[in-house]
Amino acid sequence: MSKKLSRPDSIVVTPFDKPEWLALIAASGCEPFIAVAANDQEAAALPMTPENGRLEPLANWYNFIWRTLGSADPAILRELAQALKSQTHRVTLWPIPDEDGSASALEAAFHAAGWSVRKTACDHNHVLEVNGRCFADYWATRSGRMRTTLKRKAKKVEVAIHDHFDPAAWSAYEDIYRQSWKPEEGDPDMLRAFAEQEGRAGRIRLAIATHGNIPVAAQFWTVESGTAYIHKLAHLEEHKNLSAGTTLTAALFQRVIDDDAVSLVDFGTGNDGYKQDWMELDRPRYQLDCLDPKQLKAWPALLKRIIRS
């Protein structure tokens, strides 16, 4: 396709907007369905997959966001929404951000194309806007409990931060994750492929905390375009008394703020209490459930929606 498929200059491209990410998801077993519309200068695309009798995002639980790729032109988005009626009676999309206008633009486009659209908040995204602070300035604003914990426990573990993919460090991360309180990993092979990809590009920040040569905590971050993304973290419950997770997180915050000079730290989706300890802003993520009222297959879901409301 020769049309321009790029975000407006004001929109930061995330790892989840890239063809490489979508290729990893497709390789993991999802069937890609990419809807595209264009005018003479630019194009927009919706990367989706047929699932559960409808079209859903080409995404998985590792995604911080899902959104339109390329142009946000209302006419192009409306054309996309209109064309999808020939493919399905239902389109359900999430987790869409709206600080960049993505959710509102898609909601308006599907509504203008005649879909019945229900927009709901479906998740949280906790972030830190650095606002020019150094790590010491940021850390001074954290709770007394956090600062005391780090002061007392930091010397109990050794921290190593890798800015390239290290097989031994990744193996340690996987071992810690398997033994941690975390749910079963969604697709460990895909995550490793992503980590290797980010490592080759120099964007990985893979941190391991050890106590007596035993890895007890691990975190997987990436840094790109002024943003640090916290993808995964885990620690061994049997060594919880070491507070290695706090020490490791503080070390990574210091690295990305003081050395990588990021302007934003993104803790992904979820409303865990520990995320609120470290972050200062909670941004909603939205779901759009779009039904075509002119198709009989959409009527049962439309009826349920009416009853619930």
Side-chain angles (χ1 to χ4, degrees):
M1 183 177 62
S2 60
K3 302 293 191 298
K4 183 180 179 182
L5 186 61
S6 60
R7 306 296 303 180
D9 292 341
S10 59
I11 302 297
V12 174
V13 176
T14 76
F16 315 103
D17 298 313
K18 294 182 175 181
E20 294 87 351
W21 177 261
L22 299 175
L24 287 173
I25 294 178
S28 71
C30 289
E31 177 187 347
F33 179 94
I34 313 296
V36 180
N39 59 24
D40 291 339
Q41 287 81 38
E42 54 189 359
L46 299 180
M48 296 176 289
T49 184
E51 192 71 35
N52 299 313
R54 59 188 178 181
L55 285 174
E56 297 183 355
L58 186 61
N60 59 20
W61 79 330
Y62 299 123
N63 277 70
F64 290 17
I65 63 168
W66 178 95
R67 60 185 175 183
T68 308
L69 304 180
S71 174
D73 181 271
I76 295 178
L77 296 183
R78 186 171 62 251
E79 180 182 341
L80 263 178
Q82 182 66 44
L84 287 173
K85 290 182 175 182
S86 65
Q87 302 296 322
T88 185
H89 69 288
R90 189 173 194 174
V91 180
T92 307
L93 307 171
W94 77 92
I96 313 174
D98 210 25
E99 63 271 9
D100 62 355
S102 290
S104 295
L106 280 173
E107 179 186 22
F110 275 88
H111 180 76
W115 295 79
S116 174
V117 183
R118 186 169 184 261
K119 177 184 175 185
T120 55
C122 67
D123 214 332
H124 297 256
N125 170 231
H126 290 277
V127 299
L128 172 74
E129 293 179 340
V130 178
N131 292 324
R133 290 174 286 183
C134 65
F135 174 76
D137 291 338
Y138 158 74
W139 190 243
T141 66
R142 297 305 91 193
S143 69
R145 171 182 55 81
M146 291 174 65
R147 289 183 282 116
T148 298
T149 296
L150 184 65
K151 186 175 182 179
R152 291 176 52 239
K153 301 294 183 70
K155 293 182 180 180
K156 293 183 180 295
V157 297
E158 294 184 6
V159 173
I161 300 176
H162 303 268
D163 57 10
H164 61 281
F165 184 83
D166 183 281
W170 189 259
S171 179
Y173 154 74
E174 291 184 320
D175 288 342
I176 292 167
Y177 192 95
R178 278 193 295 267
Q179 299 176 61
S180 74
W181 80 103
K182 292 284 190 172
E184 184 177 347
E185 189 68 90
D187 190 337
D189 291 338
M190 177 192 163
L191 192 66
R192 178 182 177 121
F194 174 62
E196 290 174 339
Q197 179 178 287
E198 296 301 283
R200 287 191 294 270
R203 294 189 291 258
I204 197 172
R205 302 294 180 266
L206 177 60
I208 307 293
T210 57
H211 174 71
N213 295 321
I214 299 172
V216 294
Q219 297 191 17
F220 168 37
W221 296 30
T222 61
V223 173
E224 183 173 2
S225 301
T227 298
Y229 299 93
I230 306 176
H231 296 278
K232 305 294 290 184
L233 71 170
H235 64 261
L236 297 182
E237 284 292 297
E238 64 203 76
H239 294 287
K240 189 176 181 179
N241 64 304
L242 296 173
S243 298
T246 297
T247 300
L248 207 51
T249 305
L252 280 160
F253 265 84
Q254 184 169 17
R255 168 64 184 266
V256 301
I257 291 174
D258 289 349
D259 296 345
D260 296 314
V262 302
S263 57
L264 188 77
V265 183
D266 189 334
F267 222 142
T269 56
N271 200 31
D272 310 86
Y274 63 83
K275 294 185 178 183
Q276 299 174 47
D277 290 338
W278 294 89
M279 302 307 195
E280 298 174 349
L281 181 62
D282 181 5
R283 308 187 298 193
R285 292 291 171 256
Y286 293 97
Q287 180 185 85
L288 296 179
D289 190 25
C290 310
L291 293 158
D292 181 7
K294 293 186 177 181
Q295 298 190 50
L296 288 175
K297 290 177 67 176
W299 288 9
L302 281 169
L303 181 59
K304 289 181 182 178
R305 182 184 293 177
I306 292 170
I307 292 172
R308 286 174 184 155
S309 64

